Amino acid sequence: AQKVTQAQTEISVVEKEDVTLDCVYETRDTTYYLFWYKQPPSGELVFLIRRNSFDEQNEISGRYSWNFQKSTSSFNFTITASQVVDSAVYFCALSEAGFQKLVFGTGTRLLVSP
Amino acid sequence: EAQVTQNPRYLITVTGKKLTVTCSQNMNHEYMSWYRQDPGLGLRQIYYSMNVEVTDKGDVPEGYKVSRKEKRNFPLILESPSPNQTSLYFCASSPRDGSVNTEAFFGQGTRLTVV
């Protein structure tokens, strides 16, 4: 069975601090996909990144970076120099090959205060 | 513009009154799904469809129905809504070929309250 664990329910930081959101996953598939989505207070889901299981290269996009480690089944997300606009709920998700279903973690609420 | 459109965005209804939440995508995607989001539980899949006339249950299908008569549309039907179906609902679509660098596209969400 597939499972995604986001152990951090809520994180509060002050603007300009760096913050890392943890994601641990479980799957028996050898081919799978990992995602991060952002859900701002307005409620929509905003796609941030997709990572394939056969590509362990870390990725950086502006202030965002992702650390994928198959050895520890983790796909952590770091925001550098956080801003108030980063305040949102962040979801990590896992999909098997075939894309029929996304299994989501329970989300981490990030609050960035000025 | 590529998008998934859900309607309505907000709905308050009474227990037992049948309702339909519509979902339409303009990307010619084969896969479509419905998820519900509840506090502390994340998003859970209700039903999914791999193509026209092909649907299957997700993790929490009880109390819901779906149909896929056209590729672009995937309505969610609550025949007799109950208060425990109060939730935030998302429709999603994705192409069949998961090997390309793509994502699941989500609708804007439908916030349903059953009183």
Side-chain angles (χ1 to χ4, degrees), chain B residues 18-21 34 63-67 75-79 85:
Chain B
K18 180 179 179 180
L19 67 91
T20 299
V21 183
W34 277 102
Y64 304 94
K65 284 175 58 177
V66 294
S67 68
L76 179 69
I77 303 157
L78 285 72
E79 294 271 5
Q85 293 179 297

Side-chain angles (χ1 to χ4, degrees), chain A residues 45-107:
Chain A
L45 288 167
V46 179
F47 168 79
L48 296 178
I49 190 172
R50 158 188 157 142
R51 176 59 71 216
N52 306 331
S53 56
F54 44 85
D55 180 6
E56 281 194 76
Q57 193 170 14
N58 292 327
E59 179 149 343
I60 297 175
S61 177
R63 296 183 297 107
Y64 295 170
S65 62
W66 291 268
N67 183 2
F68 176 30
Q69 291 195 339
K70 288 178 76 170
S71 61
T72 56
S73 297
S74 65
F75 186 43
N76 297 337
F77 172 31
T78 297
I79 302 175
T80 302
S82 59
Q83 300 177 0
V84 173
V85 293
D86 295 327
S87 295
V89 178
Y90 291 85
F91 289 100
C92 181
L94 167 70
S95 173
E96 63 187 1
F99 248 92
Q100 295 166 21
K101 173 172 138 177
L102 280 167
V103 175
F104 284 83
T106 51

Side-chain angles (χ1 to χ4, degrees), chain A residues 33 35 37 39 42-45 47 50 52 54 89 91 98-107, chain B residues 31 33 35 37 40-43 45 48 50 59 88 90 94 98-104 106 108:
Chain A
Y33 307 93
F35 301 82
Y37 285 87
Q39 186 176 48
S42 51
E44 74 272 19
L45 288 167
F47 168 79
R50 158 188 157 142
N52 306 331
F54 44 85
V89 178
F91 289 100
F99 248 92
Q100 295 166 21
K101 173 172 138 177
L102 280 167
V103 175
F104 284 83
T106 51
Chain B
Y31 292 158
S33 291
Y35 294 83
Q37 181 183 352
L41 296 176
L43 283 81
Q45 191 185 54
Y48 67 95
M50 296 174 66
D59 295 322
L88 177 59
F90 286 99
S94 54
S99 65
V100 302
N101 204 22
T102 187
E103 66 192 79
F106 283 86
Q108 320 94 303

Side-chain angles (χ1 to χ4, degrees), chain B residues 39-107:
Chain B
L41 296 176
L43 283 81
R44 296 174 292 168
Q45 191 185 54
I46 303 170
Y47 267 95
Y48 67 95
S49 169
M50 296 174 66
N51 215 323
V52 175
E53 303 292 1
V54 181
T55 63
D56 208 347
K57 297 177 181 178
D59 295 322
V60 287
E62 295 75 23
Y64 304 94
K65 284 175 58 177
V66 294
S67 68
R68 188 93 181 270
K69 292 184 170 57
E70 304 166 286
K71 197 172 187 179
R72 63 183 291 123
N73 296 323
F74 191 45
L76 179 69
I77 303 157
L78 285 72
E79 294 271 5
S80 182
S82 62
N84 65 13
Q85 293 179 297
T86 293
S87 188
L88 177 59
Y89 291 87
F90 286 99
C91 180
S93 76
S94 54
R96 186 206 310 272
D97 185 357
S99 65
V100 302
N101 204 22
T102 187
E103 66 192 79
F105 291 79
F106 283 86

